[in-house]
Each structure stands twice: as C-alpha cells, then as structure tokens.
C-alpha cells in the first residue's frame, strides 16, 4: 500500500506510459488491482466463513480490460485513492478471519487450496506487477 501511495509523486507522463510495448501503463496496472480486491472482499471472504460454494470467478480478461479502460479515464489521484480504499478493506477483512481458517482447505473451481496459499498467490501477483514497474522506472 505504501508503495502504491508513493506513486502519487510520479509525473503524469510516467503514470500513463506503457511499461513496455504492448503492455499496460502504471495507471492500468494499479487500476486492475481494484476490482480483484473488491471481488475477494465480496465473493470470497464472506464464503470462507460458511460452507456455501464459492461463486464462480468473473472472466479475468474482461475484468482486466474494463479496469484498464477505467484507469485510462480516471485521474491518478482517484485511482490511487480507490486502490487504497479497497486494499484497506481487504486487509481489515483478512485480519478479522479466524486463525484456524488460514490452514483450512478451500475448493475453488474444483481445486483444493489452503486460504494461506490462496492469498500467497495474490501477494505474488502484486509483487510481479511491482517488479514490472520497477524494472522500467526503478525504485519509485
């Protein structure tokens, strides 16, 4: 969160520049994290606490395409503010989960995975994008 918040000081040109030919801009990368945080908040975490089946994941390409488009049309300040808000809610919800739930296996799309491994994958996704950006712009 601190790293994304630090992007407020990034010049607009860098914020909107593609990180490589055919790749997203920083705006689009940060912006695509928002709907996925919201999905986890509304369609995953509440179901982890019940025996109900998890709702099907949305079409990732469509979500990513829509969020990239929204990010191109939204100000840097607003994108970062939305990210910070959704991420704070996500972290708060994770902190509220019972400890014993973290090692429990979940069934997602016919696969079994522990809650710990599920969120480890999400953290690795964030790190992947941070490294992409840092490889182009260095430590911001």
């Amino acid at each position: 969160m601190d790293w994304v918040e630090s992007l407020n000081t990034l010049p607009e040109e860098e914020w909107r520049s593609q990180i490589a030919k055919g790749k997203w801009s920083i705006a689009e990368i940060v912006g695509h994290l928002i709907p996925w945080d919201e999905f986890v908040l509304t369609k995953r975490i509440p179901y982890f606490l019940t025996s109900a089946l998890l709702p099907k994941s949305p079409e990732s390409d469509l979500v990513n395409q829509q969020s990239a488009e929204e990010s191109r049309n939204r100000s840097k300040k607003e994108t970062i503010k939305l990210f910070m808000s959704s991420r704070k809610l996500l972290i708060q919800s994770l902190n509220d989960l019972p400890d014993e739930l973290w090692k429990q296996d979940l069934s997602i799309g016919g696969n079994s995975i522990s809650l710990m491994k599920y969120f480890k994958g999400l953290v690795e996704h964030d790190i992947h994008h941070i490294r992409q950006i840092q490889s182009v712009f260095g430590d911001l």
Side-chain angles (χ1 to χ4, degrees):
M1 286 181 58
D2 291 341
W3 186 82
V4 170
E5 193 168 40
S6 75
L7 297 174
N8 273 309
T9 62
L10 195 65
E12 190 70 23
E13 182 178 324
E14 289 181 12
W15 173 254
R16 304 242 177 240
S17 296
Q18 292 179 327
I19 61 167
K21 185 173 180 154
K23 298 286 186 180
W24 281 345
S25 66
I26 297 174
E28 293 163 321
I29 291 170
V30 173
H32 104 281
L33 299 173
I34 299 164
W36 291 111
D37 281 2
E38 292 169 351
F39 170 75
V40 172
L41 273 164
T42 61
K43 303 293 185 193
R44 288 293 182 252
I45 291 176
Y47 293 84
F48 294 157
L49 301 169
T50 70
S51 59
L53 292 175
L54 294 172
K56 185 178 177 188
S57 296
E59 177 59 45
S60 60
D61 289 340
L62 179 60
V63 170
N64 291 342
Q65 179 184 347
Q66 289 172 340
S67 63
E69 177 68 29
E70 290 170 9
S71 299
R72 286 189 291 271
N73 296 315
R74 198 171 37 227
S75 74
K76 174 177 54 172
K77 183 177 180 178
E78 184 64 17
T79 297
I80 292 173
K81 181 180 174 185
L82 288 169
F83 169 81
M84 297 298 289
S85 175
S86 66
R87 187 55 58 99
K88 282 178 186 175
L89 288 172
L90 178 58
I91 290 170
Q92 182 180 4
S93 294
L94 294 178
N95 286 333
D96 291 342
L97 290 175
D99 291 343
E100 63 273 8
L101 197 61
W102 285 96
K103 293 184 181 178
Q104 184 178 326
D105 281 344
L106 309 164
S107 179
I108 300 177
N111 297 313
S112 183
I113 187 171
S114 72
L115 188 63
M116 182 74 77
K117 286 184 181 178
Y118 177 79
F119 282 104
K120 182 178 185 267
L122 295 181
V123 169
E124 289 169 352
H125 174 255
D126 284 2
I127 291 170
H128 162 75
H129 285 304
I130 290 169
R131 287 185 177 149
Q132 278 183 313
I133 294 166
Q134 288 176 329
S135 73
V136 176
F137 297 101
D139 292 332
L140 302 170

PDB file of all heavy atoms in Angstrom, residues 61-80:
ATOM      1  N   ASP A  61     -10.056 -11.813 -18.266  1.00  0.00           N
ATOM      2  CA  ASP A  61      -9.685 -10.913 -19.363  1.00  0.00           C
ATOM      3  C   ASP A  61     -10.649  -9.742 -19.471  1.00  0.00           C
ATOM      4  O   ASP A  61     -10.228  -8.606 -19.714  1.00  0.00           O
ATOM      5  CB  ASP A  61      -9.638 -11.668 -20.700  1.00  0.00           C
ATOM      6  CG  ASP A  61      -8.455 -12.613 -20.794  1.00  0.00           C
ATOM      7  OD1 ASP A  61      -7.473 -12.433 -20.044  1.00  0.00           O
ATOM      8  OD2 ASP A  61      -8.506 -13.540 -21.630  1.00  0.00           O
ATOM      9  N   LEU A  62     -11.932 -10.005 -19.271  1.00  0.00           N
ATOM     10  CA  LEU A  62     -12.938  -8.952 -19.348  1.00  0.00           C
ATOM     11  C   LEU A  62     -12.766  -7.957 -18.195  1.00  0.00           C
ATOM     12  O   LEU A  62     -12.784  -6.742 -18.401  1.00  0.00           O
ATOM     13  CB  LEU A  62     -14.348  -9.530 -19.340  1.00  0.00           C
ATOM     14  CG  LEU A  62     -15.504  -8.538 -19.405  1.00  0.00           C
ATOM     15  CD1 LEU A  62     -15.437  -7.705 -20.685  1.00  0.00           C
ATOM     16  CD2 LEU A  62     -16.835  -9.278 -19.329  1.00  0.00           C
ATOM     17  N   VAL A  63     -12.584  -8.467 -16.978  1.00  0.00           N
ATOM     18  CA  VAL A  63     -12.379  -7.598 -15.809  1.00  0.00           C
ATOM     19  C   VAL A  63     -11.132  -6.742 -16.018  1.00  0.00           C
ATOM     20  O   VAL A  63     -11.155  -5.533 -15.782  1.00  0.00           O
ATOM     21  CB  VAL A  63     -12.264  -8.423 -14.506  1.00  0.00           C
ATOM     22  CG1 VAL A  63     -11.816  -7.547 -13.341  1.00  0.00           C
ATOM     23  CG2 VAL A  63     -13.579  -9.100 -14.185  1.00  0.00           C
ATOM     24  N   ASN A  64     -10.059  -7.370 -16.480  1.00  0.00           N
ATOM     25  CA  ASN A  64      -8.819  -6.632 -16.685  1.00  0.00           C
ATOM     26  C   ASN A  64      -8.959  -5.579 -17.780  1.00  0.00           C
ATOM     27  O   ASN A  64      -8.458  -4.463 -17.654  1.00  0.00           O
ATOM     28  CB  ASN A  64      -7.678  -7.597 -17.000  1.00  0.00           C
ATOM     29  CG  ASN A  64      -7.288  -8.437 -15.813  1.00  0.00           C
ATOM     30  OD1 ASN A  64      -7.597  -8.118 -14.671  1.00  0.00           O
ATOM     31  ND2 ASN A  64      -6.617  -9.532 -16.072  1.00  0.00           N
ATOM     32  N   GLN A  65      -9.644  -5.928 -18.852  1.00  0.00           N
ATOM     33  CA  GLN A  65      -9.867  -4.975 -19.949  1.00  0.00           C
ATOM     34  C   GLN A  65     -10.694  -3.785 -19.474  1.00  0.00           C
ATOM     35  O   GLN A  65     -10.362  -2.629 -19.749  1.00  0.00           O
ATOM     36  CB  GLN A  65     -10.576  -5.687 -21.095  1.00  0.00           C
ATOM     37  CG  GLN A  65     -10.880  -4.816 -22.290  1.00  0.00           C
ATOM     38  CD  GLN A  65     -11.676  -5.586 -23.354  1.00  0.00           C
ATOM     39  OE1 GLN A  65     -11.805  -6.796 -23.317  1.00  0.00           O
ATOM     40  NE2 GLN A  65     -12.221  -4.845 -24.294  1.00  0.00           N
ATOM     41  N   GLN A  66     -11.767  -4.062 -18.742  1.00  0.00           N
ATOM     42  CA  GLN A  66     -12.631  -2.979 -18.250  1.00  0.00           C
ATOM     43  C   GLN A  66     -11.898  -2.094 -17.252  1.00  0.00           C
ATOM     44  O   GLN A  66     -12.004  -0.870 -17.304  1.00  0.00           O
ATOM     45  CB  GLN A  66     -13.893  -3.557 -17.611  1.00  0.00           C
ATOM     46  CG  GLN A  66     -14.857  -4.153 -18.602  1.00  0.00           C
ATOM     47  CD  GLN A  66     -16.016  -4.882 -17.935  1.00  0.00           C
ATOM     48  OE1 GLN A  66     -15.953  -5.276 -16.772  1.00  0.00           O
ATOM     49  NE2 GLN A  66     -17.095  -5.085 -18.681  1.00  0.00           N
ATOM     50  N   SER A  67     -11.153  -2.712 -16.348  1.00  0.00           N
ATOM     51  CA  SER A  67     -10.447  -1.915 -15.341  1.00  0.00           C
ATOM     52  C   SER A  67      -9.333  -1.091 -15.966  1.00  0.00           C
ATOM     53  O   SER A  67      -9.079   0.036 -15.541  1.00  0.00           O
ATOM     54  CB  SER A  67      -9.903  -2.810 -14.223  1.00  0.00           C
ATOM     55  OG  SER A  67      -8.944  -3.723 -14.712  1.00  0.00           O
ATOM     56  N   ALA A  68      -8.674  -1.617 -16.995  1.00  0.00           N
ATOM     57  CA  ALA A  68      -7.646  -0.850 -17.694  1.00  0.00           C
ATOM     58  C   ALA A  68      -8.264   0.368 -18.365  1.00  0.00           C
ATOM     59  O   ALA A  68      -7.727   1.479 -18.288  1.00  0.00           O
ATOM     60  CB  ALA A  68      -6.929  -1.731 -18.717  1.00  0.00           C
ATOM     61  N   GLU A  69      -9.406   0.167 -18.999  1.00  0.00           N
ATOM     62  CA  GLU A  69     -10.105   1.284 -19.662  1.00  0.00           C
ATOM     63  C   GLU A  69     -10.512   2.346 -18.638  1.00  0.00           C
ATOM     64  O   GLU A  69     -10.306   3.542 -18.864  1.00  0.00           O
ATOM     65  CB  GLU A  69     -11.342   0.761 -20.403  1.00  0.00           C
ATOM     66  CG  GLU A  69     -12.166   1.843 -21.069  1.00  0.00           C
ATOM     67  CD  GLU A  69     -11.464   2.513 -22.238  1.00  0.00           C
ATOM     68  OE1 GLU A  69     -10.631   1.870 -22.890  1.00  0.00           O
ATOM     69  OE2 GLU A  69     -11.735   3.706 -22.476  1.00  0.00           O
ATOM     70  N   GLU A  70     -11.076   1.915 -17.529  1.00  0.00           N
ATOM     71  CA  GLU A  70     -11.474   2.861 -16.482  1.00  0.00           C
ATOM     72  C   GLU A  70     -10.270   3.638 -15.967  1.00  0.00           C
ATOM     73  O   GLU A  70     -10.361   4.840 -15.715  1.00  0.00           O
ATOM     74  CB  GLU A  70     -12.162   2.115 -15.337  1.00  0.00           C
ATOM     75  CG  GLU A  70     -13.531   1.579 -15.693  1.00  0.00           C
ATOM     76  CD  GLU A  70     -14.102   0.650 -14.637  1.00  0.00           C
ATOM     77  OE1 GLU A  70     -13.517   0.536 -13.535  1.00  0.00           O
ATOM     78  OE2 GLU A  70     -15.139   0.022 -14.925  1.00  0.00           O
ATOM     79  N   SER A  71      -9.153   2.949 -15.817  1.00  0.00           N
ATOM     80  CA  SER A  71      -7.943   3.597 -15.300  1.00  0.00           C
ATOM     81  C   SER A  71      -7.381   4.623 -16.268  1.00  0.00           C
ATOM     82  O   SER A  71      -6.782   5.614 -15.848  1.00  0.00           O
ATOM     83  CB  SER A  71      -6.877   2.546 -14.989  1.00  0.00           C
ATOM     84  OG  SER A  71      -7.350   1.659 -14.003  1.00  0.00           O
ATOM     85  N   ARG A  72      -7.554   4.384 -17.554  1.00  0.00           N
ATOM     86  CA  ARG A  72      -7.097   5.361 -18.546  1.00  0.00           C
ATOM     87  C   ARG A  72      -7.926   6.637 -18.476  1.00  0.00           C
ATOM     88  O   ARG A  72      -7.458   7.711 -18.835  1.00  0.00           O
ATOM     89  CB  ARG A  72      -7.174   4.766 -19.961  1.00  0.00           C
ATOM     90  CG  ARG A  72      -6.092   3.748 -20.242  1.00  0.00           C
ATOM     91  CD  ARG A  72      -6.049   3.349 -21.702  1.00  0.00           C
ATOM     92  NE  ARG A  72      -7.196   2.573 -22.131  1.00  0.00           N
ATOM     93  CZ  ARG A  72      -7.299   1.247 -22.074  1.00  0.00           C
ATOM     94  NH1 ARG A  72      -6.303   0.539 -21.578  1.00  0.00           N
ATOM     95  NH2 ARG A  72      -8.373   0.627 -22.505  1.00  0.00           N
ATOM     96  N   ASN A  73      -9.164   6.522 -18.017  1.00  0.00           N
ATOM     97  CA  ASN A  73     -10.083   7.660 -17.976  1.00  0.00           C
ATOM     98  C   ASN A  73     -10.232   8.287 -16.596  1.00  0.00           C
ATOM     99  O   ASN A  73     -11.005   9.217 -16.425  1.00  0.00           O
ATOM    100  CB  ASN A  73     -11.463   7.228 -18.491  1.00  0.00           C
ATOM    101  CG  ASN A  73     -11.408   6.824 -19.941  1.00  0.00           C
ATOM    102  OD1 ASN A  73     -10.805   7.508 -20.756  1.00  0.00           O
ATOM    103  ND2 ASN A  73     -12.008   5.702 -20.273  1.00  0.00           N
ATOM    104  N   ARG A  74      -9.502   7.775 -15.635  1.00  0.00           N
ATOM    105  CA  ARG A  74      -9.597   8.268 -14.257  1.00  0.00           C
ATOM    106  C   ARG A  74      -8.289   8.960 -13.894  1.00  0.00           C
ATOM    107  O   ARG A  74      -7.227   8.599 -14.392  1.00  0.00           O
ATOM    108  CB  ARG A  74      -9.835   7.055 -13.345  1.00  0.00           C
ATOM    109  CG  ARG A  74     -10.372   7.366 -12.007  1.00  0.00           C
ATOM    110  CD  ARG A  74     -10.789   6.138 -11.203  1.00  0.00           C
ATOM    111  NE  ARG A  74      -9.937   4.985 -11.363  1.00  0.00           N
ATOM    112  CZ  ARG A  74     -10.390   3.747 -11.587  1.00  0.00           C
ATOM    113  NH1 ARG A  74     -11.661   3.491 -11.674  1.00  0.00           N
ATOM    114  NH2 ARG A  74      -9.546   2.746 -11.710  1.00  0.00           N
ATOM    115  N   SER A  75      -8.368   9.920 -13.011  1.00  0.00           N
ATOM    116  CA  SER A  75      -7.146  10.609 -12.585  1.00  0.00           C
ATOM    117  C   SER A  75      -6.265   9.680 -11.752  1.00  0.00           C
ATOM    118  O   SER A  75      -6.738   8.708 -11.161  1.00  0.00           O
ATOM    119  CB  SER A  75      -7.502  11.848 -11.754  1.00  0.00           C
ATOM    120  OG  SER A  75      -7.956  11.471 -10.464  1.00  0.00           O
ATOM    121  N   LYS A  76      -4.986   9.995 -11.730  1.00  0.00           N
ATOM    122  CA  LYS A  76      -4.037   9.226 -10.919  1.00  0.00           C
ATOM    123  C   LYS A  76      -4.463   9.250  -9.457  1.00  0.00           C
ATOM    124  O   LYS A  76      -4.492   8.217  -8.791  1.00  0.00           O
ATOM    125  CB  LYS A  76      -2.628   9.814 -11.083  1.00  0.00           C
ATOM    126  CG  LYS A  76      -1.598   9.177 -10.186  1.00  0.00           C
ATOM    127  CD  LYS A  76      -0.191   9.721 -10.420  1.00  0.00           C
ATOM    128  CE  LYS A  76      -0.146  11.211 -10.308  1.00  0.00           C
ATOM    129  NZ  LYS A  76       1.197  11.772 -10.347  1.00  0.00           N
ATOM    130  N   LYS A  77      -4.798  10.426  -8.990  1.00  0.00           N
ATOM    131  CA  LYS A  77      -5.192  10.586  -7.595  1.00  0.00           C
ATOM    132  C   LYS A  77      -6.394   9.703  -7.262  1.00  0.00           C
ATOM    133  O   LYS A  77      -6.421   9.030  -6.223  1.00  0.00           O
ATOM    134  CB  LYS A  77      -5.522  12.057  -7.312  1.00  0.00           C
ATOM    135  CG  LYS A  77      -5.862  12.350  -5.876  1.00  0.00           C
ATOM    136  CD  LYS A  77      -6.095  13.847  -5.670  1.00  0.00           C
ATOM    137  CE  LYS A  77      -6.438  14.128  -4.230  1.00  0.00           C
ATOM    138  NZ  LYS A  77      -6.624  15.554  -3.974  1.00  0.00           N
ATOM    139  N   GLU A  78      -7.383   9.673  -8.140  1.00  0.00           N
ATOM    140  CA  GLU A  78      -8.590   8.879  -7.896  1.00  0.00           C
ATOM    141  C   GLU A  78      -8.294   7.380  -7.951  1.00  0.00           C
ATOM    142  O   GLU A  78      -8.791   6.608  -7.137  1.00  0.00           O
ATOM    143  CB  GLU A  78      -9.687   9.238  -8.901  1.00  0.00           C
ATOM    144  CG  GLU A  78     -11.005   8.535  -8.660  1.00  0.00           C
ATOM    145  CD  GLU A  78     -11.689   8.903  -7.342  1.00  0.00           C
ATOM    146  OE1 GLU A  78     -11.342   9.925  -6.724  1.00  0.00           O
ATOM    147  OE2 GLU A  78     -12.585   8.143  -6.926  1.00  0.00           O
ATOM    148  N   THR A  79      -7.470   6.957  -8.902  1.00  0.00           N
ATOM    149  CA  THR A  79      -7.112   5.538  -8.994  1.00  0.00           C
ATOM    150  C   THR A  79      -6.393   5.090  -7.730  1.00  0.00           C
ATOM    151  O   THR A  79      -6.722   4.048  -7.159  1.00  0.00           O
ATOM    152  CB  THR A  79      -6.236   5.277 -10.241  1.00  0.00           C
ATOM    153  OG1 THR A  79      -7.012   5.579 -11.402  1.00  0.00           O
ATOM    154  CG2 THR A  79      -5.767   3.831 -10.299  1.00  0.00           C
ATOM    155  N   ILE A  80      -5.437   5.877  -7.289  1.00  0.00           N
ATOM    156  CA  ILE A  80      -4.689   5.512  -6.072  1.00  0.00           C
ATOM    157  C   ILE A  80      -5.616   5.531  -4.863  1.00  0.00           C
ATOM    158  O   ILE A  80      -5.553   4.640  -4.006  1.00  0.00           O
ATOM    159  CB  ILE A  80      -3.462   6.424  -5.899  1.00  0.00           C
ATOM    160  CG1 ILE A  80      -2.447   6.113  -7.010  1.00  0.00           C
ATOM    161  CG2 ILE A  80      -2.835   6.258  -4.507  1.00  0.00           C
ATOM    162  CD1 ILE A  80      -1.261   7.042  -7.076  1.00  0.00           C
TER     163      ILE A  80
END
